[in-house]
Every structure is written in C-alpha cells, then in structure tokens.
Amino acid sequence: MRVTTMDRYAPPPGRAVEFVPSPAALHAAAGSPAVPVPPSVNQRFHLATAEYTPAGSGHWLACAFDLPPGPVDLDALRAAFEAWGRRHETLRSGFRGKGTEPERYVVAASAYELVARDAGTYPSGGGAREWLTRRLGATCRPLSWPSYLFAVVVRPGGGTVFCGFDHCNADAYSLAVAVREIREGYAEAKAAGAGDGPAGTGPGSPPATGSFVDYCAEEAEQVSAARPVDAGDPRVRGWAEFFAGCGGTTPAFPLPLGVPPGARAPQGTDTRPLLGADAADAFEARCRAAGGSGFTGVLTAVALAARRLGGGDVLRLCTPLHTRYEARWTHAVGWFTTVAPLTLDLTGVRGIEDGVPAARDAFRAARTLAEVPFAQVLPVLGGTFRRTRDDVFMVSYIDYRRLPGSEHHRAADAHHISSVTTADDAQFWFSRTHEGLFLRSRFPAVPVAATVVGGFADAVGRTLAGHRS
C-alpha cells in the first residue's frame, strides 16, 4: 500500500457514485438511543478539538484501490459496502453533542442499509480529486453520521473504490482491512448476484472479528479499575523526564523549520522511495544481525541523519504503537493505537550497526512508558508541562507486508491517502511494502522547512543505503 496525501494522489477520471445511508437508515440513526460506552482515550481527545476545526478541514484518512478489471457491478458493490458496515460496529457508531463527554449511539445492523447516488462525471483526474477532497472534508467529521465516505469512480473497463474515514473510526491498519474485505465482498456478491443475499455470508466470508465499540468499553473499564497513577510511578517519572528533556513540552523536530511556536502554515508534503525491495531486505538483514529490526534500523538512520545536520547526539520523538494485542482485533476496524515517548542517545555511535542495539533498548523503554497513556500522565505533571505547538515530532513505521491481504495491494494499486491541513512541526511516516521502503514527510510549507526537511530526507536515504555522509 502506497502512503501519500490527497494533493499527491492522482485519481482516475470517470463517473463518481457514492453509497450513502438510505432515508430509513438515517431515521434509525436519529432515533438510536444512547449506549453507555464512552469514547476511547484517542476519541475523547479528537472530539474535544473537533468543535474548533472548521468544516472541511478535518483530519481524515482514506484508502483507494482498483476493483478487478471488467464492468463495475454497482449493486454488488453496494451489497459489499452494506455488509461491511454491518460487520464493523464502529461504522454504525456515532456521537452526539460537543466537548469531552459526547453521547455515543449505535445504529442496529438490521437498520443499516445503503443506496447508490450519482455524484457526477469528471473527465479529468484533477476534477475527480477536487470532488473527493470536497466530499471527504464535508463527510469525515467526528460529530456527524456517517463520518465516512464510500464511493467509486467508474471508468471504461473498471473502477477505483474510495473509503475515507474520520480518525474516530479508523487507523492505518483499518485501511488494509478495508481493501481486503471490500474487494473480497464485492467479488462474492458479484459472483452470487447481489440480489441473492447479503455479501459476506458465503463460504468465502471474512473471519469473525471483534468490535471497536467493545474495545472502547473495555478500555474504559480498565482505566476506572486501575489504581490512579501518581508522580512516584516510575513510568510517570519516565514521561516527566522525557518532557523535561524536550524543554517541558512535547518533542520538536531538532532542526529549524522557520515557523515560530504558536504559528501554523499550510501543510507541505514530500513522498519518496528510499530503498527498493532487495535493498530493503538487505537492510533488514543487517539490522537483525545487529540485534534489532527494520524499525529500529530506521530509527537509527533518522537519528544519525539528524545528528549529521546539527541535531545533536540525543533525539527525542514520539512513535505510534498499535494496541491490537488480542486475536479478536486482528480483523477489526477502529482506532487501535497509542503513543510512546522515545529517547535515542547516539553518543559514541558511528553507524547503523552501532546504533541498532541502542535504538532497540530505547524502543523497549518507550513501550514500557506507553503502558500509561499520556492522557493519564498529563494531570500528574501539572504546571511542569506546557504545550507550545499543536503538532508533535513523530516517526511512524508500518510494515504493510504483515497486514491482511497485502499480497494483493500492488495488483489493486492500493493507496493510503491522508488529508492536507496545516502544520507547525515535522512528522514522518515510513512504510515497508513488498516493493521496498518509502517515506512520507509532513511539514510547514515555508521555504526554510521545505529545504530542511528535504535535506533531512536525503540524509536518511543516504544513511539507509550505507553512506556515511
């Protein structure tokens, strides 16, 4: 799956069709009673800031993929989307109200039905992208239902499917689940005849899965049952030391970006391949021989590149971690992530092999600190912590080869697409696929940041390839 942003993605021209809830389904949603399941920790933070986000500028994420060649069967695709919404409860879950304690409701699976709606014909890819950008921004909103978009662009001989989600409903892993299950559901419904029964009920049906709404309920129970953390907890002390090393705030990219604290700029994006498949395999082998992994090798390369450009020996950043620790979450759709604070000390480190053991140990320490989420740590920190920027210097790594259905991503031209918003710091997404290792960078679109981040990405690429300068 290729990771990109909407301004860098080129959708095909063609006829656009949306799949939206029927009037009866919307009526059912409006009358659905509240359920006593609070938002997850991630959802609560997201919802608390949603009311301050202008319509159309939210943080959504989407996947795009091609259907098998041939005329598009819209009835079969509608059936596949409908079955998928019934399968994943978070897609039938919504929130009412504003602030940090909104009310959750869930639309019954029996009431969930979709209808196809023509959305116009776009003779150019640019026109299709403008339409998608507008619809994703208007639809993928955390306080609306549905807070996602199901659509297809039909062209001669095939079609490209788009599924966009407000972050409340999905994470990057969920996009891979969507690609696999919707493509398979479509093929099943088309083979059976969409009118013969709902997709996802035949011999090729996807495996059973847990519900993200249940996950939210269990997370809330665990938080309420846990002993309150205090300043004496070693994990809280670790978080406090991490923030103290960042100057009492969240980590920031160690090189100048030309945007002062408190200011934001339009988002800039850089996407590039770093290593081909064979080179990426060889790099991972080097890292394993040194006692680490491809991820800890990437972390080492990031820290070495930053140091070569003047960032110093110690690099502090946050890295997202998945929380799909149980088998029932393997095929679930939802926001199963947390964030870990990572401190990389390269004092005395000369290259990848030297740095991988240190990165491995730093990552293990970060995972221990992440056992106490930042939301629980913040009240304990009190006045010792202050937020000076909205964005956090972050390095993400996803090995898409390990996700369900990845063997079909290339044939389906599968993409992970993110929204384009504003930025006040730099963030980096490394993605490992069957084709190699890739990097997407997000930063403020100002001349200083564009030059610095471009140079940094160059340095990371050279380090990964084995160059020392």
Side-chain angles (χ1 to χ4, degrees), residues 297-307 315 317 393 395 430 456 460 463:
V298 165
L299 288 174
T300 304
V302 166
L304 286 169
R307 186 177 70 178
L315 184 69
L317 55 90
F393 173 38
V395 174
F430 291 85
F456 172 74
V460 170
T463 304

Side-chain angles (χ1 to χ4, degrees), residues 115-167:
V115 295
R117 182 173 70 189
D118 193 279
T121 298
Y122 302 91
S124 71
R129 180 170 55 234
E130 289 176 7
W131 171 76
L132 277 168
T133 301
R134 183 174 66 254
R135 291 298 297 138
L136 287 163
T139 305
C140 301
R141 310 290 299 169
L143 295 173
S144 64
W145 189 85
S147 57
Y148 48 87
L149 175 74
F150 293 157
V152 63
V153 173
V154 181
R155 62 185 184 278
T160 300
V161 169
F162 298 90
C163 304
F165 308 89
D166 178 80
H167 215 333

Side-chain angles (χ1 to χ4, degrees), residues 253-448:
F253 187 62
L255 305 173
L257 296 175
V259 177
R264 295 187 69 81
Q267 176 185 320
T269 303
D270 180 274
T271 58
R272 63 176 69 191
L274 295 174
L275 297 174
D278 292 342
D281 287 343
F283 175 75
E284 289 183 11
R286 288 172 58 200
C287 296
R288 287 193 297 271
S293 64
F295 175 43
T296 54
V298 165
L299 288 174
T300 304
V302 166
L304 286 169
R307 186 177 70 178
R308 287 176 183 146
L309 297 175
D313 283 326
V314 180
L315 184 69
R316 294 179 177 85
L317 55 90
C318 286
T319 187
L321 306 174
H322 79 79
T323 57
R324 297 171 184 263
Y325 303 131
E326 299 181 34
R328 57 182 167 148
W329 310 131
T330 299
H331 304 283
V333 169
W335 195 355
F336 295 87
T337 63
T338 189
V339 174
L342 193 89
T343 302
L344 290 165
D345 189 340
L346 294 190
T347 303
V349 170
R350 295 172 296 173
I352 293 292
E353 284 80 3
D354 290 342
V356 161
R360 176 200 61 210
D361 294 344
F363 179 58
R364 289 174 178 171
R367 291 184 63 178
T368 298
L369 300 186
E371 293 172 359
V372 181
F374 174 59
Q376 291 180 257
V377 173
L378 185 57
V380 181
L381 299 180
T384 63
F385 175 84
R386 69 190 188 284
R387 192 75 180 264
T388 58
R389 294 184 183 271
D390 292 329
D391 295 331
V392 175
F393 173 38
M394 182 193 74
V395 174
S396 170
Y397 180 89
I398 298 180
D399 190 339
Y400 283 96
R401 298 171 303 169
R402 300 177 182 272
L403 304 192
S406 69
E407 65 274 16
H408 303 299
H409 285 174
R410 186 172 186 178
D413 193 25
H415 282 71
H416 166 166
I417 308 168
S418 294
S419 59
V420 179
T421 57
T422 61
D424 65 358
D425 211 321
Q427 299 174 321
F428 303 90
W429 284 261
F430 291 85
S431 52
R432 179 69 167 96
T433 74
H434 294 289
E435 289 72 56
L437 180 66
F438 300 82
L439 171 62
R440 175 171 75 89
S441 307
R442 178 180 181 272
F443 53 89
V446 298
V448 171

Side-chain angles (χ1 to χ4, degrees), residues 94-122:
F95 294 99
R96 300 187 184 103
K98 296 183 177 182
T100 58
E101 293 298 333
E103 175 184 271
R104 185 194 295 271
Y105 62 95
V106 177
V107 180
S110 59
Y112 186 83
E113 61 179 15
L114 302 175
V115 295
R117 182 173 70 189
D118 193 279
T121 298
Y122 302 91

